[in-house]
Amino acid sequence: MEIGGRTQYLTRVQGMPNEVELKLTKMIRDFVWPNTTPAVNMGILHDKIKAGGRKLLNISSHNEAIELMKARTYLQLDDKRGRWPKVADRLIGNNIPDSYRVSDQVSKTNMFLQNWSATTRRDRTRLPDTLVRMLKTMKKYKVAFAPVSLSRELKGQMPIWHHISELDNGRLRNNDTWAKCQRLNHHINTV
């Protein structure tokens, strides 16, 4: 109950550091195989009983599922979007590498709708651990904005600056005098 219940709740609320994840996995392994080296691969023990496993809790998989559920909430871009995803967008926008040449806060909307991404390397980012874990999990599972088709209304809501379909050679166009005037004086931000 403790490892599968409370820790998963706390992971959803505040995340789980890798060290804790490894320690809990070791606790599960030691519970199943006390004072000895496991005779069976942990992957097999995670399998269903019908498949020859013991249906043990896979902390790593559960944590990734929790991160993907947070990602789903983060990517909800409609009117029901909560406060924390908006704060996350701002924090993520403040961690864009200089190589993307995103010059002002107004042009930063959402990295999944634009052609830039945030730094997630621990030694180079100022993002909180919980956002770093979420972004890394999203990258691992190749989460991307890839609709089959967009309505005219949705196309009109897409950010115009650093547009997701814009090629790399358009970076300078997003930061020239005309573009800054359109953003800052005329408040043009969408297609």
Side-chain angles (χ1 to χ4, degrees):
M1 172 63 184
E2 193 67 30
I3 290 179
R6 190 175 304 180
T7 62
Q8 296 301 281
Y9 167 75
L10 290 173
T11 299
R12 174 61 180 110
V13 174
Q14 61 196 35
M16 181 182 291
N18 288 337
E19 305 83 45
V20 174
E21 184 178 305
L22 292 172
K23 189 169 186 164
L24 289 173
T25 301
K26 185 179 181 325
M27 287 172 66
I28 292 170
R29 187 180 63 236
D30 291 346
F31 178 78
V32 175
W33 300 101
N35 303 323
T36 183
T37 304
V40 178
N41 184 325
M42 285 299 285
I44 293 172
L45 293 174
H46 294 303
D47 282 343
K48 295 177 182 173
I49 293 173
K50 288 181 180 178
R54 289 287 163 233
K55 200 176 175 184
L56 286 182
L57 175 65
N58 185 337
I59 294 284
S60 178
S61 294
H62 276 249
N63 289 350
E64 286 181 344
I66 289 169
E67 293 302 327
L68 289 172
M69 294 307 290
K70 282 197 300 193
R72 184 176 78 171
T73 303
Y74 168 71
L75 292 174
Q76 186 176 357
L77 300 172
D78 58 12
D79 296 339
K80 297 175 186 168
R81 194 172 199 219
R83 195 175 299 157
W84 82 263
K86 294 173 185 172
V87 171
D89 275 338
R90 194 60 168 268
L91 291 171
I92 291 168
N94 290 336
N95 280 279
I96 303 172
D98 293 338
S99 62
Y100 286 105
R101 297 186 190 118
V102 180
S103 64
D104 58 57
Q105 195 68 36
V106 177
S107 65
K108 303 171 188 176
T109 305
N110 184 293
M111 68 183 268
F112 291 92
L113 299 178
Q114 296 181 293
N115 64 356
W116 53 266
S117 62
T119 303
T120 54
R121 281 187 44 185
R122 283 286 11 124
D123 60 336
R124 293 189 179 170
T125 188
R126 295 180 313 273
L127 285 174
D129 289 340
T130 185
L131 285 180
V132 170
R133 276 191 302 273
M134 182 185 75
L135 291 175
K136 285 183 175 182
T137 304
M138 292 169 84
K139 184 176 182 178
K140 177 180 178 181
Y141 290 99
K142 297 178 174 58
V143 174
F145 181 73
V148 175
S149 67
L150 282 175
S151 68
R152 192 171 190 80
E153 180 184 348
L154 285 176
K155 286 180 185 176
Q157 293 175 11
M158 293 290 292
I160 193 167
W161 310 113
H162 308 282
H163 195 277
I164 193 169
S165 65
E166 183 178 34
L167 301 174
D168 288 342
N169 60 6
R171 288 183 182 163
L172 293 175
R173 229 182 6 246
N174 288 307
N175 296 317
D176 65 9
T177 307
W178 177 84
K180 287 179 182 177
C181 177
Q182 298 302 310
R183 272 196 303 273
L184 303 174
N185 297 327
H186 303 286
H187 308 288
I188 296 174
N189 295 312
T190 59
V191 177

